[in-house]
Amino acid sequence: MSQSLPPGATIGIVGGGQLGRMLAMAAARLGYRTAILEPDRACPAAQVANLHIVADYEDSRGLEQLANACDVITYEFENVPVTTARSLADRNTVYPPAEALEAAQDRLSEKIFFNTMGLATAPFTTVENGRDLAEGLARFGGNGILKTRRMGYDGKGQKIFRGATAQDVQEAAAEMGGVPLILEGLIPFEREISVIAARGLDGALAAYDPAENMHRNGILARSRVPAAVSAATAEAAREAAFAVLTALDYVGVVGIEFFVLDNGSILVNEMAPRVHNSGHWTEAACAVSQFEQHIRAITGLPLGDTGRHSDCVMENLLGPEQDRAPELLGEPGVVLHLYGKTEARLGRKMGHFTRLFPLSGRKQPVTGSGR
Ligand code: AMP
């Protein structure tokens, strides 16, 4: 694809959650149509897309239908089977590349990828049995965080050890056995930040200001921008994101999470090869949201301005918290977004809102040529 896709072209999205919904809305604003591949008939994205292919992510007929209906294909969650991405890529253009999915899906290959690039992470070791776990914990001073290597999100499949006893280790090994695991040293971070960055088809790079993220029960609760970090720390995080995008020959938006230590240095935690919850504030505080940025990148349009016109705090609305909507809408400076989910299960992401504040100090967006 050497030119940008014309208005009226169709973008395929694998996955029908809220990220797919917001991508479809951004696509529509730029004159594009969208087709969603998602088994759940009641999914949020189907309510705003032009076509909903109701099929599993590995269903060969569904994949063929998607490949035939679209001019370019993307995905909205990182656990899309790599075989799905490759099978679509055999028939159509798929961004971001399947290699990015592959690197991000396994915490072990992800950390090795970062370290190979010279980006520091928490120390880690693979765990196959109770002995590995005991040895790893001894190496990390008795403290660590045990994670499933694959399919973990929002803190699921994780166990924290602080001063672990032999019995803790035995119990954990029995509980979490059967799936590949990784043990990480417990990082005494001062704060957590993330960078939402993009690479265009022409190799251009752009990043939004880092957000400072607060989690509750492993789920993102709140993102604040600007983050309380030095300009040097923010720059290091942006540079790390740009290096990752370039190394992967990436096209689209990526979300990369970092731990910030008390001396201001950063460790990479993980990356999501997609738009990211900690970038939802961009739809309220920037001229071009992360969703539009992703659509621009994958359709070959120029990347947009990542500058911020306001400081802001984004908060997720989980489960029954969506009942706060009328009250929030009565507040000046609040931008609300609900995902159209009817079942408000406890802990389920139902929407988010962003409170805007006057800009405390103008920060320029960072862009580069990517060469
Ligand atoms: P993750 O699924 O890897 O993003 O982990 C979820 C949350 O657990 C992170 O946002 C951190 O708050 C915490 N966490 C993850 N890994 C570590 C670590 N190695 N040390 C300390 N806290 C961690």
Side-chain angles (χ1 to χ4, degrees), residues 16-215:
Q18 63 267 17
L19 300 180
R21 177 186 176 98
M22 291 185 271
L23 284 171
M25 290 167 77
R29 268 186 24 148
L30 294 179
Y32 295 120
R33 300 170 64 81
T34 44
I36 306 288
L37 176 76
E38 162 65 50
D40 178 8
R41 279 182 195 281
C43 71
Q47 296 167 17
V48 300
N50 299 89
L51 173 68
H52 180 190
I53 300 167
V54 183
D56 276 344
Y57 311 125
E58 287 168 287
D59 180 87
S60 57
R61 278 180 52 193
L63 291 175
E64 193 177 334
Q65 204 186 335
L66 186 71
N68 291 337
C70 299
D71 298 284
V72 64
I73 297 172
T74 190
Y75 38 87
E76 59 106 51
F77 69 113
E78 67 272 36
N79 288 321
V80 170
V82 173
T83 48
T84 291
R86 290 208 196 286
S87 126
L88 288 170
D90 286 342
R91 286 172 276 194
N92 208 318
T93 309
V94 178
Y95 295 130
E99 292 69 39
L101 261 188
E102 212 163 16
Q105 278 181 359
D106 182 338
R107 291 185 190 275
L108 178 66
S109 55
E110 190 181 30
K111 284 202 167 43
I112 293 171
F113 167 69
F114 290 138
N115 289 172
T116 310
M117 292 189 55
L119 301 174
T121 61
F124 60 93
T125 182
T126 54
V127 169
E128 280 173 20
N129 50 46
R131 212 177 84 191
D132 293 347
L133 181 57
E135 281 176 10
L137 280 169
R139 220 172 95 202
F140 302 146
N143 302 328
I145 176 162
L146 185 64
K147 302 180 179 177
T148 53
R149 273 172 51 183
R150 305 182 74 88
M151 303 301 269
Y153 67 98
D154 285 347
K156 289 189 171 62
Q158 302 191 2
K159 185 170 173 59
I160 295 181
F161 297 91
R162 285 194 178 87
T165 63
Q167 195 186 342
D168 294 337
V169 172
Q170 247 175 20
E171 281 173 13
E175 248 172 57
M176 298 184 82
V179 291
L181 300 168
I182 188 171
L183 178 74
E184 298 176 17
L186 207 54
I187 303 301
F189 56 79
E190 197 179 67
R191 54 192 85 243
E192 292 185 82
I193 62 168
S194 58
V195 168
I196 308 299
R199 186 167 178 273
L201 250 183
D202 58 356
L205 296 162
Y208 295 92
D209 281 339
E212 181 168 342
N213 303 319
M214 282 132 281
H215 296 88

Side-chain angles (χ1 to χ4, degrees), residues 238-272:
R238 268 192 291 255
E239 283 305 320
F242 287 168
V244 166
L245 288 172
T246 306
L248 288 168
D249 202 14
Y250 199 92
V251 176
V253 163
V254 74
I256 307 190
E257 297 177 48
F258 301 86
F259 300 130
V260 182
L261 306 184
D262 56 5
N263 65 2
S265 65
I266 53 170
L267 301 176
V268 191
N269 178 25
E270 61 180 359
M271 69 173 171

